[in-house]
Amino acid sequence: MKGATVVIEKKVVQADFVETESQKEEFEVALSRLANQRGAQMPLLQETQRIYGYLPKELLERMAKALDVPLEELYSTATFYSQFSFVPKGEYTISICMGTACYVKGAGDILDDLSDILKIKSGETTEDKKFTLESCRCIGACGLAPVLKVNEEVYGRLNKKKSEKVLATYQKEA
């Protein structure tokens, strides 16, 4: 098992790369299908993110070799888009919108409250790997402000109490 070191907000995070046999097989199929196609970089990054939930350094190195591009080029592309992560995320990713409408209506307080409950800061994952908490720029549901997403499910017109109920629903599932 190799580890990848990533610097996030001036904090070093160590993530050990672990893959299942099915992930490895699915990645190899995607790699062989896309490696010789023009413009394969984004689709391959997206497929890798979908398969593993993040972009492990070990796979970026294999992708760079297969695509015949410098590793730095893949990192440059991946760091440009917020959809990509270099560290594993939890089973449930809670994204709290910090766009103007949401922020003005109390999204910062909701983020602080959920951070206290989960005992993690924005950008971190709980030790049990169930929850990742993050803030985002805009979900695009300003009329429902403040808004948060759990994975792809959007919840709006929140306050601290309502957001705690949303979290409790996922805690029961976990």
Side-chain angles (χ1 to χ4, degrees):
M1 225 186 304
K2 295 180 184 177
T5 302
V6 180
V7 177
I8 300 174
E9 294 179 2
K10 299 181 184 177
K11 183 166 96 174
V12 176
V13 176
Q14 186 70 29
D16 290 328
F17 175 60
V18 179
E19 71 182 338
T20 65
E21 195 58 41
S22 65
Q23 286 174 319
K24 185 176 182 176
E25 288 173 13
E26 196 173 353
F27 174 75
E28 290 300 327
V29 167
L31 190 61
S32 64
R33 185 182 82 237
L34 295 168
N36 295 317
Q37 289 185 16
R38 185 179 164 131
Q41 205 175 100
M42 275 300 287
L44 191 52
L45 287 168
Q46 290 168 328
E47 277 292 298
T48 304
Q49 176 88 21
R50 183 189 61 74
I51 294 166
Y52 292 88
Y54 73 112
L55 299 174
K57 179 183 178 207
E58 293 82 358
L59 296 182
L60 288 170
E61 289 170 345
R62 287 170 46 196
M63 290 166 52
K65 186 175 180 178
L67 296 174
D68 195 29
V69 297
L71 180 61
E72 295 79 11
E73 186 175 321
L74 285 177
Y75 272 110
S76 176
T77 302
T79 57
F80 181 79
Y81 295 97
S82 63
Q83 67 180 296
F84 297 119
S85 173
F86 295 106
V87 292
K89 291 189 175 190
E91 181 180 349
Y92 301 106
T93 298
I94 302 170
S95 302
I96 301 174
C97 181
M98 289 297 180
T100 303
C102 290
Y103 187 80
V104 167
K105 291 189 174 187
D109 293 334
I110 292 169
L111 177 64
D112 291 343
D113 186 46
L114 294 183
S115 176
D116 289 343
I117 292 168
L118 294 170
K119 297 179 178 30
I120 56 173
K121 295 177 185 170
S122 182
E124 295 180 345
T125 299
T126 56
E127 283 186 30
D128 63 3
K129 305 286 190 251
K130 292 294 179 187
F131 296 97
T132 296
L133 183 64
E134 60 188 22
S135 63
C136 60
R137 298 277 184 232
C138 184
I139 290 176
C142 302
L144 300 175
V147 175
L148 67 76
K149 277 190 346 180
V150 180
N151 296 343
E152 297 304 315
E153 188 72 32
V154 177
Y155 299 88
R157 295 189 176 96
L158 297 173
N159 56 35
K160 285 170 51 173
K161 188 174 182 174
K162 287 179 183 177
S163 64
E164 288 173 10
K165 283 184 181 180
V166 170
L167 175 62
T169 301
Y170 290 93
Q171 287 174 318
K172 286 178 188 172
E173 290 180 19

